[in-house]
């Protein structure tokens, strides 16, 4: 059998993390492939499943960025090595508080960024989601 070309970080099954839905998918929070780290969309939920900031898009963005920071560090990278972000909002009025919070975490990093307004996210209480791609310095 060939050696794995990537490392999966914080594997989980959706039947455990989404008990209110009938899902059964094997996923992980981040994947390290070579010197690239792909971080799954992060929301205002901590790794114990507790929602932080019910109704507050800025607080949810803060928690999401805490998660991103931790996952990047577990993969051998950090926030300064983010090259791309994608941010999803369920309401365009959330753009300023979410982007202001994310901007605090990424000051001086200068990643490329895509922002989208979508009709909904995976759970009704989620107001925003962000995923990132980062590198691991050589």
């Amino acid at each position: 059998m060939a050696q794995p070309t990537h490392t999966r970080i914080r594997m989980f099954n959706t039947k455990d993390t989404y008990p209110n839905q009938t899902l059964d998918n094997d996923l992980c929070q981040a994947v390290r492939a070579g010197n690239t780290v792909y971080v799954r969309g992060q929301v205002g939920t901590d790794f114990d499943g507790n929602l932080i900031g019910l109704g507050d898009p800025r607080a949810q963005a803060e928690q999401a960025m805490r998660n991103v920071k931790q996952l990047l560090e577990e993969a051998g990278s950090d926030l300064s090595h983010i090259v791309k972000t994608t941010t999803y909002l369920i309401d365009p009025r959330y753009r300023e508080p979410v982007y202001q919070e994310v901007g605090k975490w990424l000051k001086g990093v200068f990643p490329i960024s895509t922002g989208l307004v979508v009709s909904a996210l995976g759970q009704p209480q989620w107001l925003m989601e962000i995923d990132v791609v980062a590198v691991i310095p050589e």
Side-chain angles (χ1 to χ4, degrees), residues 57 88-99 116-121 126-128:
Y88 306 86
L89 305 171
I90 64 161
D91 188 319
R93 295 172 292 185
Y94 298 159
R95 186 171 191 270
E96 283 190 44
V98 168
Y99 278 58
L116 303 160
V117 177
V118 298
S119 62
L121 295 169
W126 296 346
L127 307 178
M128 61 76 57

Side-chain angles (χ1 to χ4, degrees), residues 18-135:
Y18 299 97
N20 61 326
Q21 299 174 1
T22 54
L23 300 173
D24 185 8
N25 300 79
D26 293 328
L27 300 174
C28 62
Q29 294 289 345
V31 173
R32 177 181 174 168
N35 75 330
T36 305
V37 181
Y38 303 91
V39 176
R40 177 180 193 269
Q42 297 298 306
V43 296
T45 303
D46 66 20
F47 292 126
D48 293 325
N50 303 305
L51 177 67
I52 309 301
L54 180 64
D56 183 344
R58 188 213 55 80
Q60 290 188 21
E62 181 180 21
Q63 181 60 48
M65 291 306 296
R66 269 195 204 100
N67 295 350
V68 166
K69 180 180 186 295
Q70 182 171 340
L71 290 166
L72 289 175
E73 290 171 355
E74 289 178 19
S77 188
D78 62 48
L79 293 172
S80 72
H81 298 294
I82 291 176
V83 296
K84 178 164 185 5
T85 67
T86 305
T87 305
Y88 306 86
L89 305 171
I90 64 161
D91 188 319
R93 295 172 292 185
Y94 298 159
R95 186 171 191 270
E96 283 190 44
V98 168
Y99 278 58
Q100 287 169 354
E101 184 62 37
V102 171
K104 289 180 199 175
W105 291 80
L106 301 182
K107 190 72 174 165
V109 176
F110 301 97
I112 60 173
S113 175
T114 299
L116 303 160
V117 177
V118 298
S119 62
L121 295 169
Q123 295 286 354
Q125 65 271 27
W126 296 346
L127 307 178
M128 61 76 57
E129 185 167 342
I130 185 168
D131 64 60
V132 307
V133 178
V135 295

